Amino acid sequence: DGRGAVWAAFPDRGIQYLTLRGEVRTLEASVPLCREDRITFLYGLADGSLLAAGYKGYYRLTRESMEGPFYPLPDAQGRVTYALDTGGEMGVLLACDHGVFSLSGEDASLVPLPYDELGTRSICLLSLKPPDTLFALARNGRLLRWGPGGHKVWNLEALSPPLTNAFFEMDVDRRGILWIATGDGLFQLDGEALSLFTEQHGLSSVWVNHLLIDREGNMWLGTEAGLDRVSSLRFRNYRYRESLPVNSVWPIMERPDRSVWVGTNNGLLVVEPDGRARMMNKPGSPRTAVVDMKTGRDGRVWLLTYEGVLCWTGSGFLSYPTREISSFSLWNILPLRHDEIWVSTSNGVYALDPGRRSFRRHPVSDRVEGVRDLNNLVLRPNGEVFLLGRKVHVWKTENTVEEVPLPPWAAGYSLYDIIEQEGQTWVLADEGLLRLRDGAWTHFPLEGKIPFDIVCVRPGEFWLGCSSGIARFDGQRFEYFGLQDGVAVEECNTGAKLLDSRGRVWLGGKNITIINTEAETRAGILEPLITRAAAGDRVSLLPVSMEMRSRVRSLEIQYATPSFVNEHKILHRTRMSPLEDSFGPPTREKSIRYANLAPGRYTFQVQAGEEKGPWNGIPAELSITVKPAFWQTRAARVTLLLMLVAGGILLSAARVRHLEKQRVKLQRIVDTQTGKIKEQRDEMARLATLDPLTNLANRRKFLECLEAEAARVRRTGRPLSVLMMDIDHFKTINDSFGHAAGDEVLKDIARRAARSIRETDTLARWGGDEFVLLMPETGLEEARLAARRLKDGIEAEAFTLPDGRSVGATLSLGVACRGDEKTAWMSVEILLQEADTLLYRAKASGRNRVE
């Protein structure tokens, strides 16, 4: 009801309600009623009262009284199954076995629905679309829309196999779409189109027996398998092991039929226009990792995979061998012309001639500095190509190369993408967004995040996939979204991005999040509640007013703002009148404490808002009365004044000053000693887990992390990979340049390797010139790719010694994996032994390789 009580009807104990204080109370007049008449329905009305319906009639209930029975039904066997308080001229509607009745006072009249077209008068569900369109669902599966413009009837049985005739809830959302929860799934009436959603569309079960649309527009479904949330706001997700059958996605592309192709670690995933996802199983389709995917100007789709380059012609796949580049890491594919397909690798750019079915190393590889570290190839409308790595180069159509000058402060940035629009150039870097306009560069940094993917929605507005969640850039500042906002992607670093024909942005990594860029994520005006007020032993829940004695020194007030949209971003500000003239600064706190309030009347107010507003909502209020104690009366004050004049003030003040000095002195000693102990403890803890030379985790710390991740693998079955690596011929470096030079090489390798791993990975020094890398939730294929990147990155750049000399170094790596579907878990020792054995196999096979 309107005061937060929960009501229930019992055949032998009558109608009872449970208050917020936990007290159970009985409406006494209802006991004989429930014994004589079977109450089958309770419904809360807009005025705070309740409607109780039985076989003999219906009744109005409040906490204090009961009115009725009234007899609106055509006979004593009329069973009420649903009620709807329209709040308008139609009043309260009752659906029963004999039709729909409108209640007005003590009278009820039959609503003249087209019962003949429905084929029955037994109505089970009602819903109203403001202002005056009524939806009625009959027990035979007929759905009626009835309003001033006429009516229409749908037959739900024609949409699916035979129904169970189990209809539970029906409601209209704020977009005017009707939803029906049934035992066969979730029905939707959008305009004139009626659709059925089942497990194939993401429901946890087709048995949907509860439906609720909250005030933010989210739909909550109680199903046989649990609770589903369907957001009508910004984000929709495909999560691994729920609706996404693979755990890593890379390129994303929309096809002319509005289906979406997703390149994954296990092949090609197709998301149909209705949202269903399936793996492509056409002859010749990829079965391994799809690294990149682009559409040529002739409409053909080119796929870069580790089993070769594939071309989709519209009817099937053509395969091109990649033996010339099979030993390199593969990054991007770019169909430049019908007879020239570029592929960027860890050894530069190669060109495929489809007619000759062979690769050649492209001349651009010899003209671009850092060609082995390219992050992306971007085709311009005029046929030129941007090459992005540590710098930006442009390959001209006349086969020349030009470097795009970047500002000095951008030196060393890793560049991932470039967008040209309306006379501006935007460059995506690991340090944020760079904008070139009118010859001047501007840097827009992100807060503690590394961006990898960018999608331009409209000029000056971008969505970015980051190392943690996603970000929106409106041309001036960033807005961040994470798991608490409904985003499923924790790390977007695989190049999975798309702006589809519906204006939605796709970003992926382990999962996929689809962003409705036109939707609004804010809840609008927020309405806070004062949930609890406590003064001494007096506690009040959902209080409106409160009295307390002045001898109670502390008053604590708790408040909250119920919301399912950006709840973690909601801020509150408070004011206690007349102590405060204005609201205090916004905070994330949800309680406040006041001490030693003087006798009088106060008004506490709390207002809710977001960081970007609005703050124009009506604040929640609590009236507080502090009653004075005897000694706070006028007579007591006169007496106290005389006593103070007699000398009490001087004695008390002197005592207070003495105690304060002692307290300050003791507190200073305690703070000093506490600080020293904390510093020593922190330093000892750090030294116990770090390698002093490389500042990486030591063997002890690594084994602790490995044991924790091994326990997770045994519990969840998710994969875990270990990379053990050794510097080739490290003894030769020590013998030739000295141990100090060898130490510098170890530290430099540790720094490079630490920059190229994920936040969730653990890199440690195993001993001597051996390192070990722990990669949670990483399968063998992904671990092999990471090992290749580490090996190529170390090999690509020489090390500069303190005396100015340069020395090159290579790595041999052994990769072991556990917990995926191909390997069974044994023990940590065996996993490390396997990685070590594979490392020595790599060294025995010629070094500078991955086994």
PDB file of all heavy atoms in Angstrom, residues 16-17 126 148 244 385 443 450 522 592 602 620 622 653 726 799:
ATOM      1  N   GLN A  16      -4.383  -9.874   6.734  1.00  0.00           N
ATOM      2  CA  GLN A  16      -3.335  -9.322   7.593  1.00  0.00           C
ATOM      3  C   GLN A  16      -2.380  -8.480   6.754  1.00  0.00           C
ATOM      4  O   GLN A  16      -2.304  -8.617   5.540  1.00  0.00           O
ATOM      5  CB  GLN A  16      -2.559 -10.453   8.288  1.00  0.00           C
ATOM      6  CG  GLN A  16      -3.412 -11.310   9.207  1.00  0.00           C
ATOM      7  CD  GLN A  16      -2.597 -12.395   9.903  1.00  0.00           C
ATOM      8  OE1 GLN A  16      -1.604 -12.849   9.374  1.00  0.00           O
ATOM      9  NE2 GLN A  16      -3.026 -12.779  11.094  1.00  0.00           N
ATOM     10  N   TYR A  17      -1.645  -7.597   7.458  1.00  0.00           N
ATOM     11  CA  TYR A  17      -0.624  -6.817   6.771  1.00  0.00           C
ATOM     12  C   TYR A  17       0.616  -6.727   7.657  1.00  0.00           C
ATOM     13  O   TYR A  17       0.549  -6.751   8.888  1.00  0.00           O
ATOM     14  CB  TYR A  17      -1.134  -5.422   6.371  1.00  0.00           C
ATOM     15  CG  TYR A  17      -1.594  -4.542   7.508  1.00  0.00           C
ATOM     16  CD1 TYR A  17      -0.707  -3.668   8.128  1.00  0.00           C
ATOM     17  CD2 TYR A  17      -2.931  -4.554   7.930  1.00  0.00           C
ATOM     18  CE1 TYR A  17      -1.137  -2.841   9.154  1.00  0.00           C
ATOM     19  CE2 TYR A  17      -3.357  -3.738   8.953  1.00  0.00           C
ATOM     20  CZ  TYR A  17      -2.460  -2.883   9.568  1.00  0.00           C
ATOM     21  OH  TYR A  17      -2.875  -2.069  10.583  1.00  0.00           O
ATOM     22  N   LEU A 126      -5.543  -7.251 -18.070  1.00  0.00           N
ATOM     23  CA  LEU A 126      -5.890  -5.938 -18.588  1.00  0.00           C
ATOM     24  C   LEU A 126      -4.671  -5.034 -18.530  1.00  0.00           C
ATOM     25  O   LEU A 126      -3.816  -5.168 -17.651  1.00  0.00           O
ATOM     26  CB  LEU A 126      -7.016  -5.295 -17.764  1.00  0.00           C
ATOM     27  CG  LEU A 126      -8.377  -5.984 -17.749  1.00  0.00           C
ATOM     28  CD1 LEU A 126      -9.280  -5.304 -16.736  1.00  0.00           C
ATOM     29  CD2 LEU A 126      -9.008  -5.927 -19.140  1.00  0.00           C
ATOM     30  N   PRO A 148     -10.861   4.718 -28.731  1.00  0.00           N
ATOM     31  CA  PRO A 148     -11.736   5.633 -29.502  1.00  0.00           C
ATOM     32  C   PRO A 148     -11.631   5.402 -31.008  1.00  0.00           C
ATOM     33  O   PRO A 148     -12.596   5.629 -31.740  1.00  0.00           O
ATOM     34  CB  PRO A 148     -11.225   7.025 -29.113  1.00  0.00           C
ATOM     35  CG  PRO A 148     -10.523   6.828 -27.809  1.00  0.00           C
ATOM     36  CD  PRO A 148      -9.934   5.459 -27.859  1.00  0.00           C
ATOM     37  N   LEU A 244      26.735 -15.708 -26.190  1.00  0.00           N
ATOM     38  CA  LEU A 244      27.910 -15.651 -27.047  1.00  0.00           C
ATOM     39  C   LEU A 244      28.686 -16.949 -26.874  1.00  0.00           C
ATOM     40  O   LEU A 244      29.202 -17.233 -25.803  1.00  0.00           O
ATOM     41  CB  LEU A 244      28.786 -14.454 -26.647  1.00  0.00           C
ATOM     42  CG  LEU A 244      29.923 -14.088 -27.587  1.00  0.00           C
ATOM     43  CD1 LEU A 244      29.372 -13.619 -28.919  1.00  0.00           C
ATOM     44  CD2 LEU A 244      30.786 -13.007 -26.972  1.00  0.00           C
ATOM     45  N   VAL A 385      46.596   5.284 -48.173  1.00  0.00           N
ATOM     46  CA  VAL A 385      46.538   4.421 -46.994  1.00  0.00           C
ATOM     47  C   VAL A 385      47.296   5.075 -45.856  1.00  0.00           C
ATOM     48  O   VAL A 385      48.450   5.494 -46.022  1.00  0.00           O
ATOM     49  CB  VAL A 385      47.134   3.028 -47.281  1.00  0.00           C
ATOM     50  CG1 VAL A 385      47.062   2.150 -46.037  1.00  0.00           C
ATOM     51  CG2 VAL A 385      46.394   2.367 -48.436  1.00  0.00           C
ATOM     52  N   HIS A 443      45.159  17.729 -27.273  1.00  0.00           N
ATOM     53  CA  HIS A 443      45.171  16.405 -26.637  1.00  0.00           C
ATOM     54  C   HIS A 443      44.003  16.317 -25.654  1.00  0.00           C
ATOM     55  O   HIS A 443      43.829  17.187 -24.805  1.00  0.00           O
ATOM     56  CB  HIS A 443      46.500  16.194 -25.892  1.00  0.00           C
ATOM     57  CG  HIS A 443      46.610  14.839 -25.259  1.00  0.00           C
ATOM     58  ND1 HIS A 443      47.357  14.602 -24.136  1.00  0.00           N
ATOM     59  CD2 HIS A 443      46.047  13.647 -25.596  1.00  0.00           C
ATOM     60  CE1 HIS A 443      47.260  13.327 -23.804  1.00  0.00           C
ATOM     61  NE2 HIS A 443      46.467  12.734 -24.672  1.00  0.00           N
ATOM     62  N   ILE A 450      43.258   3.103 -21.168  1.00  0.00           N
ATOM     63  CA  ILE A 450      43.965   3.058 -22.449  1.00  0.00           C
ATOM     64  C   ILE A 450      42.944   2.730 -23.530  1.00  0.00           C
ATOM     65  O   ILE A 450      42.321   1.671 -23.497  1.00  0.00           O
ATOM     66  CB  ILE A 450      45.073   1.997 -22.431  1.00  0.00           C
ATOM     67  CG1 ILE A 450      46.088   2.314 -21.324  1.00  0.00           C
ATOM     68  CG2 ILE A 450      45.772   1.942 -23.778  1.00  0.00           C
ATOM     69  CD1 ILE A 450      47.161   1.257 -21.182  1.00  0.00           C
ATOM     70  N   ARG A 522      20.278   8.626 -18.338  1.00  0.00           N
ATOM     71  CA  ARG A 522      19.955   9.250 -17.057  1.00  0.00           C
ATOM     72  C   ARG A 522      18.489   9.023 -16.713  1.00  0.00           C
ATOM     73  O   ARG A 522      17.634   8.915 -17.567  1.00  0.00           O
ATOM     74  CB  ARG A 522      20.247  10.750 -17.096  1.00  0.00           C
ATOM     75  CG  ARG A 522      21.725  11.057 -17.329  1.00  0.00           C
ATOM     76  CD  ARG A 522      21.988  12.548 -17.140  1.00  0.00           C
ATOM     77  NE  ARG A 522      23.380  12.850 -17.404  1.00  0.00           N
ATOM     78  CZ  ARG A 522      23.862  13.185 -18.587  1.00  0.00           C
ATOM     79  NH1 ARG A 522      23.040  13.268 -19.616  1.00  0.00           N
ATOM     80  NH2 ARG A 522      25.125  13.439 -18.760  1.00  0.00           N
ATOM     81  N   ILE A 592      23.865  10.826   7.352  1.00  0.00           N
ATOM     82  CA  ILE A 592      24.462  12.008   7.970  1.00  0.00           C
ATOM     83  C   ILE A 592      24.114  11.983   9.449  1.00  0.00           C
ATOM     84  O   ILE A 592      23.059  11.457   9.854  1.00  0.00           O
ATOM     85  CB  ILE A 592      23.963  13.306   7.286  1.00  0.00           C
ATOM     86  CG1 ILE A 592      24.805  14.495   7.722  1.00  0.00           C
ATOM     87  CG2 ILE A 592      22.471  13.528   7.538  1.00  0.00           C
ATOM     88  CD1 ILE A 592      24.542  15.744   6.899  1.00  0.00           C
ATOM     89  N   TYR A 602      13.191  21.790  13.438  1.00  0.00           N
ATOM     90  CA  TYR A 602      14.130  21.738  12.320  1.00  0.00           C
ATOM     91  C   TYR A 602      13.452  21.046  11.148  1.00  0.00           C
ATOM     92  O   TYR A 602      12.528  20.243  11.328  1.00  0.00           O
ATOM     93  CB  TYR A 602      15.406  20.967  12.695  1.00  0.00           C
ATOM     94  CG  TYR A 602      16.158  21.534  13.880  1.00  0.00           C
ATOM     95  CD1 TYR A 602      15.833  21.145  15.176  1.00  0.00           C
ATOM     96  CD2 TYR A 602      17.186  22.443  13.692  1.00  0.00           C
ATOM     97  CE1 TYR A 602      16.516  21.646  16.257  1.00  0.00           C
ATOM     98  CE2 TYR A 602      17.885  22.957  14.777  1.00  0.00           C
ATOM     99  CZ  TYR A 602      17.541  22.557  16.059  1.00  0.00           C
ATOM    100  OH  TYR A 602      18.221  23.060  17.134  1.00  0.00           O
ATOM    101  N   ALA A 620      13.310  15.280  -0.440  1.00  0.00           N
ATOM    102  CA  ALA A 620      12.606  14.586   0.636  1.00  0.00           C
ATOM    103  C   ALA A 620      12.822  15.365   1.932  1.00  0.00           C
ATOM    104  O   ALA A 620      13.912  15.903   2.178  1.00  0.00           O
ATOM    105  CB  ALA A 620      13.129  13.163   0.778  1.00  0.00           C
ATOM    106  N   LEU A 622      12.127  15.818   6.322  1.00  0.00           N
ATOM    107  CA  LEU A 622      11.869  15.222   7.631  1.00  0.00           C
ATOM    108  C   LEU A 622      11.754  16.359   8.637  1.00  0.00           C
ATOM    109  O   LEU A 622      12.694  17.151   8.797  1.00  0.00           O
ATOM    110  CB  LEU A 622      13.001  14.268   8.029  1.00  0.00           C
ATOM    111  CG  LEU A 622      12.946  13.716   9.456  1.00  0.00           C
ATOM    112  CD1 LEU A 622      11.694  12.868   9.647  1.00  0.00           C
ATOM    113  CD2 LEU A 622      14.195  12.916   9.779  1.00  0.00           C
ATOM    114  N   ALA A 653      36.908  25.397  33.019  1.00  0.00           N
ATOM    115  CA  ALA A 653      37.758  25.769  31.883  1.00  0.00           C
ATOM    116  C   ALA A 653      39.193  25.332  32.100  1.00  0.00           C
ATOM    117  O   ALA A 653      39.865  24.846  31.183  1.00  0.00           O
ATOM    118  CB  ALA A 653      37.675  27.275  31.652  1.00  0.00           C
ATOM    119  N   ASP A 726      63.079 -17.340 -21.699  1.00  0.00           N
ATOM    120  CA  ASP A 726      64.497 -17.289 -21.356  1.00  0.00           C
ATOM    121  C   ASP A 726      65.204 -16.454 -22.415  1.00  0.00           C
ATOM    122  O   ASP A 726      64.905 -16.539 -23.611  1.00  0.00           O
ATOM    123  CB  ASP A 726      65.067 -18.714 -21.297  1.00  0.00           C
ATOM    124  CG  ASP A 726      66.526 -18.709 -20.893  1.00  0.00           C
ATOM    125  OD1 ASP A 726      66.812 -18.763 -19.680  1.00  0.00           O
ATOM    126  OD2 ASP A 726      67.375 -18.638 -21.788  1.00  0.00           O
ATOM    127  N   PHE A 799      68.915  -3.064 -27.524  1.00  0.00           N
ATOM    128  CA  PHE A 799      69.022  -2.480 -26.192  1.00  0.00           C
ATOM    129  C   PHE A 799      70.240  -1.559 -26.154  1.00  0.00           C
ATOM    130  O   PHE A 799      71.338  -1.931 -26.606  1.00  0.00           O
ATOM    131  CB  PHE A 799      69.154  -3.558 -25.120  1.00  0.00           C
ATOM    132  CG  PHE A 799      67.991  -4.485 -25.067  1.00  0.00           C
ATOM    133  CD1 PHE A 799      67.933  -5.655 -25.813  1.00  0.00           C
ATOM    134  CD2 PHE A 799      66.888  -4.178 -24.283  1.00  0.00           C
ATOM    135  CE1 PHE A 799      66.862  -6.491 -25.762  1.00  0.00           C
ATOM    136  CE2 PHE A 799      65.805  -5.011 -24.226  1.00  0.00           C
ATOM    137  CZ  PHE A 799      65.786  -6.162 -24.968  1.00  0.00           C
TER     138      PHE A 799
END
